[in-house]
Amino acid sequence: MDALLNGSIAGATTVLITNPFDLAKTRLQAQGELVAEGHYKRAYSGVINTLIKTSQSEGILAVQKGLQAAIVFQIIMNGLRFGTYEIVKDIANEQFHLYNSHGYIKVLSNIGISAGVGCFSAFVSSPFNMIKTRLMLQTKDLPCGNRYHYSGLIDAISQIFKTEGLKGLYAGSSIMALRTGLGSAIQLPVFDFTKEHGKQWIKNQTELNMIASANATLWLCLLTCPVEVALTRYFNQQFDNHGNPTVYQGCFHAIKIIFKSEGFLGLYKGLGGLFFRSGPQSFISLLIVNQLNSLRNQKKQ
């Protein structure tokens, strides 16, 4: 329970800082949809340009569009992800003795546990990520924006449920589970591995956490960006009266047609925004969780 609460606190705290970068990432990923590079007029040229233009045309508070949904999403996802990761890891170690004589958890077991809890937390929290994405893309500056019109989180839930039911709320949840499972399989094991192997050279715990977090974020962004682009496009596409997608049928279909239409670099749109969002998010979340866990352990002792 403590780990779940710690993860929720970390998620809610970091999103206040990282939400503008998430907005920039989302808009950059959506622009030039299925059009070859050089054949469309760019609305935004980079992360900073996106934030400046958004502030100028929509007001300074517009960089925090989707914040409500983002907070709920992070509370649920990070709470479940960090909480169940520690719980499942401890149970698995008790039952199957996953640690070797040096105290390092077996890499494959760690990856499997991380991916599993990542998929679970992503599926549960998926509706709030979809709503956050659609709210962020409500803009006249971006041709593919303005596909959905919500006044806020509650209105979005109400509209989607009325028109598409529960199926509509969980549209794209399989891609969400894949992305988060892949991210968890990369982030948490790389973070743990870097900490375990780096502590013999780096004695300061905060410095070690920073280096481990940066390494985990780097690999996270490079390996998950194509799925992130596919997820943004899937969430923002139109659905028919039966809740069926009209353009992207799934993750791999989305990646295939994006690659065909926009080339390899099309799958890495918004990479800078992804790094600026995931970097602080990863570092602050993991730092807060580690500090809260340390305080909990001190109180127990």
Side-chain angles (χ1 to χ4, degrees):
M1 183 60 69
D2 285 340
L4 189 149
L5 181 62
N6 292 348
S8 297
I9 293 170
T13 303
T14 56
V15 76
L16 296 172
I17 301 167
T18 61
N19 195 62
F21 298 113
D22 197 9
L23 177 134
K25 171 203 73 84
T26 301
R27 292 189 173 189
L28 287 166
Q29 287 176 336
Q31 76 172 347
E33 185 171 11
L34 300 183
V35 180
E37 186 65 34
H39 289 77
Y40 65 92
K41 184 180 178 181
R42 285 190 178 192
Y44 311 110
S45 60
V47 176
I48 303 302
N49 179 260
T50 304
L51 297 178
I52 291 172
K53 282 191 174 179
T54 299
S55 300
Q56 288 175 339
S57 63
E58 301 168 53
I60 188 66
L61 294 180
V63 298
Q64 288 287 12
K65 273 188 175 180
L67 181 61
Q68 244 187 332
I71 289 174
V72 177
F73 167 63
Q74 287 294 334
I75 287 174
I76 295 173
M77 189 184 72
N78 268 328
L80 289 175
R81 189 160 64 105
F82 283 107
T84 53
Y85 176 72
E86 294 298 331
I87 293 167
V88 173
K89 192 168 72 169
D90 290 343
I91 292 173
N93 182 47
E94 264 185 43
Q95 297 294 320
F96 304 106
H97 307 291
L98 298 180
Y99 291 91
N100 62 26
S101 59
H102 299 291
Y104 304 138
I105 194 166
K106 291 181 180 177
V107 175
L108 290 178
S109 301
N110 203 1
I111 290 174
I113 293 169
S114 299
V117 299
C119 289
F120 171 70
S121 63
F123 180 82
V124 175
S125 60
S126 180
F128 299 100
N129 193 33
M130 177 179 68
I131 292 168
K132 176 202 71 172
T133 300
R134 291 180 178 180
L135 287 170
M136 287 177 170
L137 290 174
Q138 288 187 170
T139 174
K140 293 178 181 178
D141 294 338
L142 200 60
C144 62
N146 277 354
R147 285 181 178 164
Y148 295 92
H149 302 273
Y150 310 129
S151 61
L153 175 59
I154 303 303
D155 180 52
I157 294 173
S158 176
Q159 283 196 45
I160 296 169
F161 191 76
K162 282 179 183 177
T163 56
E164 302 170 45
L166 195 61
K167 179 182 178 181
L169 284 171
Y170 277 90
S173 57
S174 60
I175 305 177
M176 180 70 190
L178 173 63
R179 192 267 283 171
T180 309
L182 179 61
S184 295
I186 297 164
Q187 184 187 40
L188 293 176
V190 171
F191 182 78
D192 279 352
F193 182 84
T194 307
K195 277 185 65 179
E196 287 292 344
H197 289 272
K199 64 185 178 183
Q200 54 186 312
W201 296 290
I202 304 168
K203 302 304 178 185
N204 184 285
Q205 191 63 38
T206 303
E207 289 179 7
L208 180 59
N209 284 339
M210 288 178 66
I211 292 170
S213 177
N215 192 34
T217 302
L218 175 63
W219 287 101
L220 175 74
C221 293
L222 290 174
L223 295 176
T224 63
C225 193
V227 183
E228 284 268 1
V229 175
L231 185 63
T232 294
R233 301 284 183 85
Y234 191 96
F235 278 158
N236 196 49
Q237 71 179 321
Q238 294 288 352
F239 291 80
D240 64 23
N241 294 332
H242 302 288
N244 299 314
T246 57
V247 181
Y248 307 104
Q249 302 304 311
C251 180
F252 298 109
H253 178 252
I255 289 173
K256 178 183 175 181
I257 63 175
I258 291 168
F259 177 78
K260 186 176 179 180
S261 302
E262 303 170 48
F264 177 76
L265 293 180
L267 296 172
Y268 279 87
K269 284 182 176 177
L271 179 62
L274 178 61
F275 185 81
F276 282 120
R277 182 206 70 180
S278 301
Q281 194 173 66
S282 175
F283 169 66
I284 297 170
S285 294
L286 292 169
L287 183 62
I288 290 173
V289 168
N290 272 272
Q291 294 300 326
L292 290 173
N293 286 341
S294 296
L295 289 173
R296 181 191 62 184
N297 293 333
Q298 286 175 13
K299 284 182 180 180
K300 285 183 178 179
Q301 290 173 1

